[in-house]
């Protein structure tokens, strides 16, 4: 039986685990352990880092094939998976949801980094809503320390935030009415997001458009070179069922 390591932490990884278990594949989903109460997939689950490339390479002795379905911005894990699988000679597939596509009437401003996003947001408004997670909040301090920032995060920030900032804890999926309320209540004049893609957090983009607000979007980082990639769960399943050798 194929033993598959699924690097997870995303809705796509949970959906793929459903399909793999139904197909009789022995799947172990790996979670980073950042969220206190994660949504658990079906199948086996392990939690916590591997200890860099070397630790992951050692762990790969228990698997035949790897699917990296981590978040588009989880760059270290993806790079480590590419290096460890290459060293161990294991097939690796990247499953990554497509980025968002701008619709007519949406005022999007692309940023190349979080620092750049903060500078753009400072230029566009004084009451930004940050929806970029908690890990990169420090990058927003230089440009937005004196702004009335609302930061939405799943887990509490590791940094202490400036006095004019407020923090709200919540976890998607989000719906349009709630997103409209959040932006209206804060009297937001700009929204900042990563190009996460997918449906879970798309309603804020619609809410921003409905309220005529600009959105600053942090571009996705590059993927590791040489790793085959698919953008949906069905294609990933097909790849696994061919033993990680199928045409993409
Ligand atoms: P990251 O910066 O790429 O990874 C940092 C370290 O965390 C890795 O080197 C690894 O530690 C550990 N790690 C990350 N993902 C792991 C996994 N699935 N299983 C075991 N260890 C993992 O990752 P991140 O941006 O902090 O994201 C952490 C997790 O949250 C990912 O699984 C990702 O899918 C999920 N997530 C991330 C975002 C985001 O915006 N970044 C959003 C939603 C969900 P070792 O080097 O010790 O192995």
């Amino acid at each position: 039986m194929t033993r598959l390591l699924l690097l997870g932490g995303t809705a796509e990884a949970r959906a793929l685990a459903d399909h793999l278990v139904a197909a009789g594949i022995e799947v172990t989903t790996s979670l980073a352990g950042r969220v206190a109460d994660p949504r658990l997939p079906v199948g086996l689950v392990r939690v916590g880092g591997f200890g860099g490339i070397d630790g992951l390479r050692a762990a790969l002795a228990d698997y035949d094939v790897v699917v990296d379905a981590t978040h588009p911005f989880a760059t270290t894990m993806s790079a480590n998976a590419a290096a460890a699988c290459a060293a161990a000679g294991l097939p690796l597939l990247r499953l990554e949801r497509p980025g968002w596509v701008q619709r007519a009437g949406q005022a999007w401003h692309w940023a190349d980094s979080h620092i750049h996003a903060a500078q753009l947001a400072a230029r566009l408004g004084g009451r930004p809503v940050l929806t970029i997670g908690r890990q990169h909040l420090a990058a927003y301090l230089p440009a937005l320390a004196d702004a009335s920032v609302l930061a939405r995060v799943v887990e509490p920030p590791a940094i202490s935030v400036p006095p004019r900032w407020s923090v709200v804890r919540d976890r998607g999926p989000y719906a349009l009415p709630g997103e409209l309320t959040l932006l209206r209540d804060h009297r937001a004049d700009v929204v900042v997001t990563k190009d996460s893609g997918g449906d879970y957090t798309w309603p804020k983009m619609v809410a921003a458009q409905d309220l005529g607000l600009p959105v600053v979007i942090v571009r996705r980082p590059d993927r590791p070179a040489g790793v085959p990639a698919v953008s949906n769960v069905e294609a990933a399943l097909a790849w696994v069922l061919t033993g990680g050798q199928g045409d993409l």
Side-chain angles (χ1 to χ4, degrees):
M1 182 189 263
T2 303
R3 300 164 304 165
L4 185 143
L5 176 63
L6 176 54
L7 302 171
T10 58
E12 293 73 37
R14 289 191 297 277
L16 180 58
D18 282 342
H19 288 288
L20 292 168
V21 168
I25 307 282
E26 184 184 303
V27 54
T28 302
T29 296
S30 176
L31 302 175
R34 300 257 196 285
V35 179
D37 178 25
R39 293 190 184 90
L40 292 176
V42 299
L44 304 170
V45 176
R46 67 164 297 288
V47 180
F50 295 93
I53 296 169
D54 291 344
L56 177 57
R57 188 182 171 182
L60 292 181
D62 295 333
Y63 303 99
D64 306 305
V65 60
V66 180
V67 176
D68 170 17
T70 55
H71 190 271
F73 282 78
T75 46
T76 305
M77 190 67 254
S78 290
N80 289 359
C85 287
L90 246 58
L92 168 67
L93 179 73
R94 172 73 177 145
L95 166 58
E96 184 169 305
R97 67 179 87 129
W100 285 320
V101 177
Q102 188 170 7
R103 294 182 185 167
Q106 288 180 318
W108 290 8
H109 302 259
W110 289 94
D112 294 324
S113 66
H114 287 285
I115 294 275
H116 185 205
Q119 292 164 348
L120 282 175
R123 244 179 273 152
L124 289 163
R127 301 190 61 81
V129 170
L130 304 185
T131 62
I132 45 82
R134 64 171 178 152
Q135 293 192 70
H136 295 282
L137 280 178
Y140 291 80
L141 293 176
L144 295 175
D146 296 325
S148 297
V149 168
L150 176 68
R152 181 168 68 187
V153 292
V154 178
E155 297 290 331
I159 61 164
S160 57
V161 300
R164 295 189 64 188
W165 287 33
S166 50
V167 173
V168 57
R169 287 183 63 191
D170 203 353
R171 180 161 73 168
Y174 300 102
L176 182 57
E179 298 298 70
L180 286 166
T181 301
L182 180 88
L183 298 182
R184 281 197 186 109
D185 284 357
H186 183 62
R187 290 182 287 117
D189 49 15
V190 56
V191 176
V192 185
T193 181
K194 297 185 284 198
D195 181 17
S196 295
D199 299 332
Y200 271 39
T201 57
W202 174 253
K204 70 186 166 195
M205 310 299 266
V206 178
Q209 180 180 8
D210 286 356
L211 298 175
L213 303 183
V215 179
V216 175
I217 308 187
V218 182
R219 281 184 210 287
R220 290 185 173 194
D222 290 337
R223 279 201 292 256
V227 178
V230 294
S231 59
N232 61 72
V233 169
E234 292 72 24
L237 178 66
W239 183 87
V240 172
L241 293 179
T242 59
Q245 308 298 330
D247 290 336
L248 293 173

